[in-house]
Amino acid sequence: MTTIKKAAVIGAGVMGSGIAAHLANAGLDVVLLDMETKFADAGVARQLKAGGFMDPAFSERIRTGSTKGDIGLIADADWIVEAVAEKLEIKQTLYRALDDVRKAGSIVSSNTSTIPLHSLVGGLPESFAADFLITHFFNPPRIMRLLELVSGKATRPEATVAIRDFADYVLGKSVVQAKDTPGFIGNRIGNYWIAVAQNEAIAFGLDVEEADAIIGKPFGIPATGIFGLLDLVGIDLLPTALRSLQNATPADDAIHDYDAEPPLIARMIAENRIGRKSGAGFVRLSADRKSRDITDLATGEYRPQKTVSSDSLEASRGDPRALMEHPGLGGRYASIVMEKALAYAAALVPEIADTPDAVDEAMRTGYGWKQGPFELIDRLGAGWVAERLKARGLAVPPYLALAAEKGGFYSVVDGRRSSLLPDGAIEPVAQSDGVLLLADLRLAGKPVEDWGAASLWDLGDGVACLELRTKMNTFNPDLLDAIGKAVERTARDFRALVIGSDSPVFSAGADLRVFLDIVEKGGREALGAFFDHHGHSTFKALKYASFPVVGAASGPALGGGCEILLHCDAIQAHAELSIGLVETRIGVIPGWGGCKEMLLRFSEPTAALHGPVAPAITAFNLIASAKVSASAFDARKLGFLKASDGITMNRSRLIADAKAKALALVENYAPPEPPLISLSGPSGAFAIGNILDSEALAGRATPHDGVVGRALANVLTGGPSADPLKPLTEDDVTALEREAFIDLLVTPATLDRVRHMLATGKPLRN
């Protein structure tokens, strides 16, 4: 892989500054230039405010300047990204200036989404064209995984490979090789889909709320639907994008069927109602900022938000095919939008991409669809979609007709997911080296064990993987039993264990309904019996297993999800990890060793905290506030991750990286020695008591926050009667956790919090 250590970004607008921030997230030194330095500085400030940096300190990796006076700063850059205005003459003028300064072999790319590559390099030196590509990021660059990579006829293969691999491994992108066609893949299909949905909703006289609900969850599309998405990206941007596509495509392309700027949209743009960036779009906050007003698509005026009411949605119960077949207004709308969008996608292969999986990957990672267009067609039935198009009087694309004849676009051949190509051939879907997904293992065979709540998979090389499989991977008795069984099976037949899955959620913690049910039916005694049989013993068995355990942590890892990771030998975390001990939100404290493990981490010699008081206060401040990390880098600063724990940028590589870490621990592995823990006793209890009193006086803590805080302080310090000179065992501290958890959970105030959380998904401040 070509080494890329320094990058430069020219253009500090929303996209350019976002790209610069994410390059800094990846550890690069970055130069960010704009016409004036103040614009580049503003770009960095924008990303700090918008959360473009995984750690605010990473902004220090960016050096700002102006294209007029500081162009020389790019002289030693390995990769230069152009993100200036979408005007060919401006870009080419910049390229000539860059070519005078850049080092030989440095790679230059454009973030354009509208100008063909062959036009960008037209008339420029062959040496420049050889180093040039298009790298089309999606906004925001930190969050959206898609990177469309376009190479020209003159582009050096080495340059393409270098950026592809760097974007994959280091930036964490899903890299899709696109062709040099208008809009590439994501925006060619996505903009057409939005245009159809927007214009048809206006024509049908639908409510914004109903349109978004219909073109949303039933099809695995983000809840923003259509109008929420337009508000998010900017209502003024779609007309420009559509006109660009209409100008660049033949007259018979379906993109010409819809007005790029219908009268309602023209009016909203004229009134600066262009979405979230202007404070008003299809949705705006009401004058009292307590509710939302919605644009009436018929009148263009605002009205109060309505509750969605749709016969079609109710009758279809979330099934997309049933929704499209329903004769109601919502069904007819869903049908015309999705039939046209799916047909358009099928008509564009192989023009925009050679395989259906490239298109599906682009729409999943660029637009957030759970399934791409071809996966959706297979879900609906290729033959069914083709017949629907015929009934509507629309042409059936040849590729769709072929899929209808063959039974779909995807199949499983010899245990591998395979796709139907436009020429009728069937080929395995390409998978990048080093990617290990449980979905692929599931196609090839069965798990070693399946306990319902969890499965045990063989990752090869003597490493097993425990896949949690409850809703949101929450902990209930069945899952805790499965973890215990996984420890036993791994000890017999494997050398190491990884805990992880393909799920976007590592674990949302304990199943609150289980705890509420135990308390309501059996009270304190039943809750104690549950604790004695589950939780502590399960996590302790993981910690002291005869083999290394590595947590492959991605997405939310909250409460018990955090605690199980704290009991692993090591953690391999996805860069966007959101980890935290959040139990105080529902009126309890961590009850499965979270308090104990954080005390141990903050007491380590490398923690730079001295004596038993400082670790107790640090753990208290972290746990009492229910702090959740903003990224894996933030998790490391907070103490949830150790310096030795790994961070993976590409989510698809997480399990493979966790497996590698587990194998590295296998040789000469021995379980950790049980530690002794010195609690601070009266001095710590007094210090934390002062914190609690200050929070109450300032109005930041409710009465029950004080109750929970004092229970937490008692666990972390041992209470006023504890003797700091007599260290406790882990079991002693977990016994304190157990009693505090049970005492709190049976209180009416905590039960009110639990019930409120289950009913609303939000914490109750009582």
Side-chain angles (χ1 to χ4, degrees):
M1 188 192 311
T2 299
T3 301
I4 296 176
K5 293 183 177 180
K6 180 177 179 179
V9 180
I10 317 298
V14 172
M15 281 301 301
S17 61
I19 293 168
H22 196 51
L23 291 168
N25 290 335
L28 297 190
D29 292 324
V30 183
V31 171
L32 178 61
L33 304 181
D34 209 302
M35 289 185 292
E36 297 182 35
T37 302
K38 65 180 181 181
F39 298 144
D41 290 338
V44 174
R46 180 188 301 112
Q47 293 304 318
L48 282 167
K49 183 178 180 180
F53 294 100
M54 291 178 174
D55 183 332
F58 293 169
S59 63
E60 298 172 8
R61 295 172 178 169
I62 298 180
R63 181 175 179 181
T64 58
S66 72
T67 50
K68 295 178 181 178
D70 301 303
I71 196 74
L73 293 176
I74 66 102
D76 59 343
D78 304 300
W79 180 17
I80 305 163
V81 182
E82 168 268 303
V84 302
E86 291 287 83
K87 295 184 178 179
L88 182 60
E89 60 274 20
I90 293 176
K91 293 180 184 290
Q92 287 206 329
T93 298
L94 173 62
Y95 296 159
R96 291 186 176 91
L98 295 176
D99 207 27
D100 289 339
V101 180
R102 72 185 184 99
K103 68 180 182 180
S106 61
I107 299 170
V108 182
S109 70
S110 174
N111 187 60
T112 185
S113 60
T114 62
I115 303 176
L117 187 148
H118 62 268
S119 298
L120 292 173
V121 296
L124 293 172
E126 291 183 6
S127 58
F128 182 86
D131 293 333
F132 187 84
L133 335 98
I134 288 174
T135 49
H136 182 216
F137 290 80
F138 277 63
N139 194 40
R142 169 184 170 180
I143 303 300
M144 300 307 293
R145 291 188 61 201
L146 178 60
L147 179 78
E148 291 178 319
L149 182 62
V150 182
S151 304
K153 293 180 179 179
T155 305
R156 292 184 293 115
E158 298 84 1
T160 299
V161 170
I163 295 301
R164 182 198 67 199
D165 289 350
F166 182 84
D168 177 347
Y169 288 89
V170 185
L171 296 182
K173 295 299 176 185
S174 176
V175 182
V176 174
Q177 192 79 41
K179 296 185 178 183
D180 193 16
T181 56
F184 311 127
I185 299 174
N187 283 346
R188 180 73 174 274
I189 296 171
N191 283 328
Y192 175 76
W193 163 69
I194 294 172
V196 176
Q198 170 192 271
N199 285 274
E200 293 291 353
I202 295 171
F204 272 87
L206 280 174
D207 290 333
V208 164
E209 299 95 327
E210 185 175 3
D212 282 346
I214 290 167
I215 305 300
K217 187 176 180 180
F219 297 99
I221 290 169
T224 51
I226 292 298
F227 295 102
L229 177 61
L230 285 166
D231 271 359
L232 179 64
V233 301
I235 294 167
D236 56 326
L237 296 183
L238 182 63
T240 301
L242 287 174
R243 289 191 185 102
S244 173
L245 286 171
Q246 289 169 344
N247 290 335
T249 53
D252 61 351
D253 191 288
I255 200 76
H256 294 272
D257 294 346
Y258 288 94
D259 189 350
E261 192 173 323
L264 172 62
I265 303 303
R267 172 186 168 182
M268 294 180 71
I269 293 173
E271 295 174 355
N272 197 35
R273 293 161 54 188
I274 56 176
R276 295 186 188 181
K277 60 187 177 183
S278 69
F282 290 105
V283 178
R284 74 171 183 186
L285 285 175
S286 60
D288 61 8
R289 304 188 71 80
K290 293 182 179 180
S291 59
R292 303 200 302 174
D293 294 328
I294 308 294
T295 296
D296 187 297
L297 297 182
T299 67
E301 303 297 330
Y302 283 111
R303 57 160 175 78
Q305 185 176 16
K306 299 178 182 178
T307 300
V308 175
S309 178
S310 169
D311 292 342
S312 299
L313 282 174
E314 292 175 10
S316 59
R317 298 183 179 181
D319 180 78
R321 182 162 164 171
L323 175 58
M324 294 169 69
E325 289 178 330
H326 193 269
L329 184 65
R332 298 199 306 274
Y333 173 65
S335 179
I336 194 169
V337 172
M338 296 311 296
E339 285 168 17
K340 285 192 171 187
L342 296 177
Y344 190 63
L348 289 174
V349 175
E351 177 190 341
I352 62 173
D354 291 326
T355 61
D357 53 282
V359 174
D360 286 342
E361 181 74 359
M363 293 305 293
R364 285 196 307 268
T365 57
Y367 277 78
W369 292 20
K370 288 185 178 178
Q371 294 177 302
F374 296 100
E375 291 167 322
L376 267 174
I377 292 172
D378 274 6
R379 180 181 175 189
L380 294 166
W384 182 85
V385 174
E387 290 302 318
R388 298 280 296 187
L389 292 173
K390 291 177 184 177
R392 195 178 289 281
L394 297 175
V396 178
Y399 191 24
L400 175 57
L402 177 65
E405 176 188 335
K406 299 291 186 180
F409 290 101
Y410 293 102
S411 58
V412 178
V413 179
D414 296 331
R416 292 189 62 183
R417 188 173 188 239
S418 301
S419 64
L420 173 70
L421 303 185
D423 64 2
I426 294 177
E427 289 186 357
V429 173
Q431 189 65 278
S432 300
D433 292 340
V435 170
L436 181 54
L437 301 176
L438 297 189
D440 291 337
L441 297 183
R442 191 168 286 110
L443 291 177
K446 296 181 179 180
V448 175
E449 294 275 6
D450 187 344
W451 300 289
S455 297
L456 193 70
W457 293 90
D458 186 348
L459 299 183
D461 302 311
V463 181
C465 179
L466 176 63
E467 176 192 23
L468 312 185
R469 293 178 55 194
T470 56
K471 183 178 181 180
M472 298 290 285
N473 292 336
T474 51
F475 291 92
N476 59 26
D478 289 342
L479 179 55
L480 292 168
D481 286 342
I483 294 170
K485 294 174 183 176
V487 171
E488 295 174 0
R489 181 64 190 268
T490 303
R492 290 200 310 269
D493 299 330
F494 295 92
R495 299 192 294 161
L497 178 67
V498 167
I499 303 175
S501 70
D502 297 338
S503 170
V505 177
F506 179 78
S507 172
D511 186 337
L512 295 182
R513 294 187 186 278
V514 169
F515 282 98
L516 183 61
D517 187 60
I518 291 172
V519 172
E520 290 179 340
K521 291 181 178 179
R524 182 187 182 91
E525 183 177 342
L527 189 58
F530 174 79
F531 255 80
D532 292 339
H533 185 65
H534 292 103
H536 284 151
S537 59
T538 301
F539 289 4
K540 184 178 180 180
L542 273 176
K543 182 173 181 177
Y544 293 105
S546 59
F547 49 84
V549 180
V550 176
S554 172
L558 307 176
C562 175
E563 288 177 295
I564 195 171
L565 289 169
L566 295 177
H567 286 80
C568 294
D569 292 286
I571 300 172
Q572 186 68 34
H574 180 233
E576 296 291 359
L577 175 67
S578 299
I579 187 172
L581 295 166
V582 297
E583 287 85 351
T584 57
R585 293 180 184 174
I586 58 163
V588 294
I589 67 164
W592 287 339
C595 299
K596 173 255 301 180
E597 288 299 320
M598 294 314 298
L599 274 176
L600 288 172
R601 285 168 184 255
F602 292 137
S603 300
E604 291 178 353
T606 56
L609 299 172
H610 303 289
V613 176
I617 293 176
T618 304
F620 176 84
N621 288 333
L622 180 68
I623 298 170
S625 63
K627 179 71 174 178
V628 176
S629 68
S631 69
F633 300 99
D634 188 36
R636 185 172 279 164
K637 291 171 66 175
L638 293 173
F640 293 119
L641 297 186
K642 299 179 180 179
S644 57
D645 290 328
I647 296 177
T648 297
M649 292 294 283
N650 192 323
R651 175 65 182 83
S652 297
R653 299 186 177 279
L654 180 62
I655 291 180
D657 288 351
K659 174 187 172 182
K661 181 172 282 291
L663 287 171
L665 295 173
V666 165
E667 189 173 356
N668 300 320
Y669 177 78
E673 289 293 327
L676 292 175
I677 305 171
S678 295
L679 299 184
S680 56
S683 57
F686 178 77
I688 294 177
N690 286 338
I691 295 173
L692 288 167
D693 292 340
S694 297
E695 289 295 295
L697 287 172
R700 291 188 292 267
T702 68
H704 197 51
D705 288 340
V707 173
V708 176
R710 294 185 194 285
L712 175 60
N714 189 68
V715 172
L716 295 174
T717 67
S721 61
D723 185 351
L725 299 179
K726 293 183 178 179
L728 302 182
T729 66
E730 279 185 290
D731 289 341
D732 293 332
V733 179
T734 53
L736 291 174
E737 284 186 332
R738 174 190 184 279
E739 292 307 307
F741 185 97
I742 294 173
D743 287 344
L744 288 168
L745 189 55
V746 298
T747 63
T750 289
L751 290 173
D752 286 344
R753 286 193 178 190
V754 172
R755 293 187 183 105
H756 188 270
M757 179 66 77
L758 287 171
T760 68
K762 298 178 181 179
L764 173 67
R765 299 303 307 277
N766 59 347

